[in-house]
Amino acid sequence: MEGVEHRVIKVNGINMHVAEKGEGPLILFIHGFPELWYSWRHQIASLSSKGYRAVAPDLRGYGDTDAPDLVTSYTCFHIVGDLVQLLNIIAPNEHKVLVVGHDWGAAIAWYLCLFRPDKVKAVFNLSVPFIPHNPQMNPIDGWRAIYGNDYYMCRFQEPGEIEAEFAEMGTETVVKAFLTYRVPGPIMLPKGKPFGHSADTPIALPSWLSEEEVHYYVSKFDNKSGFTGGINYYRNLHRNWELMAPWTGCDVKVAAKFVVGDLDLVYHMPGMKEYIHNGGFKKDVPMLEEVVVMEGVGHFIHMEKPDEINNLIYDFFRQFD
């Protein structure tokens, strides 16, 4: 990408790759699974041209950032710790920054707001709303009870198992299967027929995703020896649940805006629409200014509708300049 500066910064015991462009108030972009800094390419170009400093790291385990071997090195505290130290290094004089997250990146952004509200001026999250801690049931047992053992988060739990199946499918097929997923329902990965079709079924790309862009993702995941780093986030869902017990009942004290596509699988999780629209979300995030549901849009909303998302981000953040 033209004008994007790349550098590697030592944070929290790892080397973190960061892409950035522009000058002005800092916007931290936090990607999800199976993504990279590159998922924010449209937002980096747009917001940097509007007077912002767009900063997008490869998270721990992804792309050109280190991937520690231990599964236990991927808790929400590790990831937030990486980002806090990154901000301290690259913006030591900026008391608070603007944050944008998607998918796991949105979850991490909510954690950042919960743990360090002093670092965040405002948060703009996509796809995943704030999910309050439920002391009655850990998330993996909950998902297994609802969807069964073939649900992707459950299939991700055993180290090495899903990686072997993904290796058999091929990195390109896995990347395409995830990025083109538009079913408003759960991702199921039954053995031998992941995503509900045979591994050799051709996958047509939508207009918003090119073969060249897919190949960038593929090259980075191949260089990383697969998807283990990103999958390790899911392997810490139970551990995060245990560690988050002290924050039971805490709300997010940061100005927020939330956008989701009406075809997003997260939006169709049991109870999610009710939580988002019937007061629960607003109760847990009192400074939530608006929820936007975009019609006919899937999970990777920032790539599918970049112009609309760029405008929504800009319109929300400019009030904090």
Side-chain angles (χ1 to χ4, degrees):
M1 276 182 62
E2 187 178 349
V4 175
E5 177 188 349
H6 296 268
R7 53 180 169 151
V8 175
I9 299 171
K10 188 84 170 180
V11 300
N12 200 20
I14 65 169
N15 295 302
M16 174 171 271
H17 166 251
V18 181
E20 66 174 280
K21 184 178 182 180
E23 296 180 0
L26 192 151
I27 302 178
L28 176 67
F29 291 94
I30 314 175
H31 70 78
F33 176 88
E35 301 181 78
L36 302 162
W37 76 269
Y38 186 67
S39 294
W40 298 111
R41 56 197 178 278
H42 305 298
Q43 287 69 45
I44 291 170
S46 175
L47 276 300
S48 65
S49 73
K50 291 181 168 68
Y52 290 94
R53 180 187 179 191
V55 174
D58 283 331
L59 294 182
R60 170 182 295 240
Y62 287 90
D64 294 321
T65 291
D66 287 350
D69 292 332
L70 291 176
V71 172
T72 52
S73 295
Y74 293 83
T75 70
C76 56
F77 289 96
H78 289 87
I79 314 306
V80 171
D82 297 344
L83 297 176
V84 168
Q85 194 163 353
L86 174 67
L87 293 174
N88 289 343
I89 293 170
I90 67 171
N93 299 318
E94 201 156 349
H95 180 52
K96 291 188 175 188
V97 303
L98 302 161
V99 177
V100 180
H102 169 256
D103 185 78
W104 258 107
I108 296 301
W110 293 122
Y111 283 131
L112 176 60
C113 293
L114 199 61
F115 302 156
R116 295 296 305 271
D118 60 303
K119 303 292 287 185
V120 184
K121 193 180 302 183
V123 62
F124 183 104
N125 269 339
L126 299 161
S127 181
V128 177
F130 176 71
I131 307 295
H133 183 263
N134 176 5
Q136 304 305 317
M137 181 177 287
N138 79 70
I140 294 301
D141 287 348
W143 296 131
R144 186 173 282 115
I146 294 168
Y147 295 127
N149 291 324
D150 286 341
Y151 184 54
Y152 79 109
M153 292 192 198
C154 300
R155 290 295 322 279
F156 280 2
Q157 294 308 303
E158 185 61 35
E161 184 176 287
I162 198 68
E163 287 96 327
E165 294 180 38
F166 282 172
E168 198 171 307
M169 292 174 65
T171 304
E172 182 174 333
T173 298
V174 174
V175 167
K176 285 182 175 180
F178 274 110
L179 295 186
T180 64
Y181 191 85
R182 286 177 60 82
V183 179
I187 296 176
M188 307 300 284
L189 299 175
K191 291 183 179 180
K193 202 175 182 181
F195 301 98
H197 51 72
S198 63
D200 57 357
T201 301
I203 299 174
L205 296 182
S207 60
W208 50 266
L209 184 65
S210 71
E211 290 286 351
E212 183 181 359
E213 289 169 327
V214 167
H215 288 156
Y216 184 85
Y217 289 98
V218 172
S219 69
K220 294 303 180 181
F221 282 109
D222 277 344
N223 287 344
K224 215 66 179 175
S225 300
F227 300 90
T228 298
I231 292 171
N232 281 341
Y233 287 56
Y234 295 90
R235 291 179 178 142
N236 279 280
L237 284 169
H238 183 99
R239 188 170 288 105
N240 287 343
W241 175 75
E242 292 180 335
L243 294 171
M244 286 301 298
W247 283 268
T248 302
C250 290
D251 55 20
V252 173
K253 297 177 173 65
V254 173
K257 185 165 183 169
F258 178 71
V259 183
V260 65
D262 68 350
L263 298 179
D264 193 318
L265 70 163
V266 178
Y267 191 54
H268 291 269
M269 287 177 169
M272 192 63 74
K273 291 180 185 177
E274 292 77 13
Y275 171 72
I276 290 172
H277 298 295
N278 293 349
F281 191 12
K282 178 69 173 176
K283 176 178 176 293
D284 293 327
V285 187
M287 297 169 69
L288 178 66
E289 292 196 8
E290 187 181 12
V291 170
V292 176
V293 179
M294 296 181 66
E295 292 185 9
V297 184
H299 183 66
F300 296 95
I301 189 169
H302 52 318
M303 289 190 274
E304 185 174 350
K305 295 292 182 182
D307 292 342
E308 291 88 337
I309 294 301
N310 296 343
N311 289 335
L312 287 169
I313 293 172
Y314 178 68
D315 288 344
F316 179 55
F317 281 167
R318 64 180 177 177
Q319 67 180 294
F320 301 99
D321 290 351

